[in-house]
Amino acid sequence: MEATFRTVVFKRAQTLAQSTGKNYNVCLAKSWVLYRLVIDMRKGVVCFAYEKADGTLRRAKGTLRQVDQLVKGTGKEDYKTIRYYDVEAKAFRSFKIENFITVY
């Protein structure tokens, strides 16, 4: 069964609350921003920023539009990370949802 958008948003919020210990309302708001980020990436290129695993800031230009032919395998929905196609590096990248900073 395919997950509805509400399922995705609330599961991401729950994951954020568990991993960060922050208030659920704050996590829910961030989850909605992440959901809109993915929707916007499906429409075109979006500029956003997140913290990399080594602690440095990563400014990315990502998209999910017309990248279906580049996907290998089926993959499973993961509520802990966001996957995107980096248009500058011409490769797929991902980041943990708790490391997301902003869309600009």
Side-chain angles (χ1 to χ4, degrees):
M1 185 172 133
E2 189 173 322
T4 65
F5 74 94
R6 286 185 187 93
T7 303
V8 172
V9 169
F10 284 104
K11 284 189 178 185
R12 277 197 187 126
Q14 184 66 33
T15 302
L16 273 170
Q18 289 173 348
S19 65
T20 62
K22 292 183 180 178
N23 186 342
Y24 185 75
N25 292 337
V26 172
C27 295
L28 188 59
K30 189 171 186 176
S31 182
W32 277 109
V33 172
L34 288 166
Y35 174 74
R36 285 192 287 279
L37 171 68
V38 172
I39 294 299
D40 290 343
M41 282 196 295
R42 288 182 184 153
K43 295 176 184 175
V45 177
V46 179
C47 298
F48 56 96
Y50 62 91
E51 184 181 342
K52 291 176 24 175
D54 63 2
T56 59
L57 179 69
R58 169 80 160 100
R59 293 179 180 221
K61 291 183 181 179
T63 186
L64 292 172
R65 185 180 175 104
Q66 299 176 345
V67 294
D68 295 336
Q69 68 276 10
L70 302 173
V71 175
K72 296 177 184 174
T74 57
K76 185 175 112 174
E77 183 66 35
D78 183 15
Y79 300 108
K80 296 179 182 181
T81 61
I82 301 288
R83 297 177 302 234
Y84 67 96
Y85 184 79
D86 191 327
V87 296
E88 294 172 335
K90 296 188 178 13
F92 281 96
R93 301 280 188 254
S94 66
F95 62 92
K96 292 182 180 179
I97 59 174
E98 60 263 17
N99 294 342
F100 175 75
I101 297 173
T102 188
V103 176
Y104 61 95

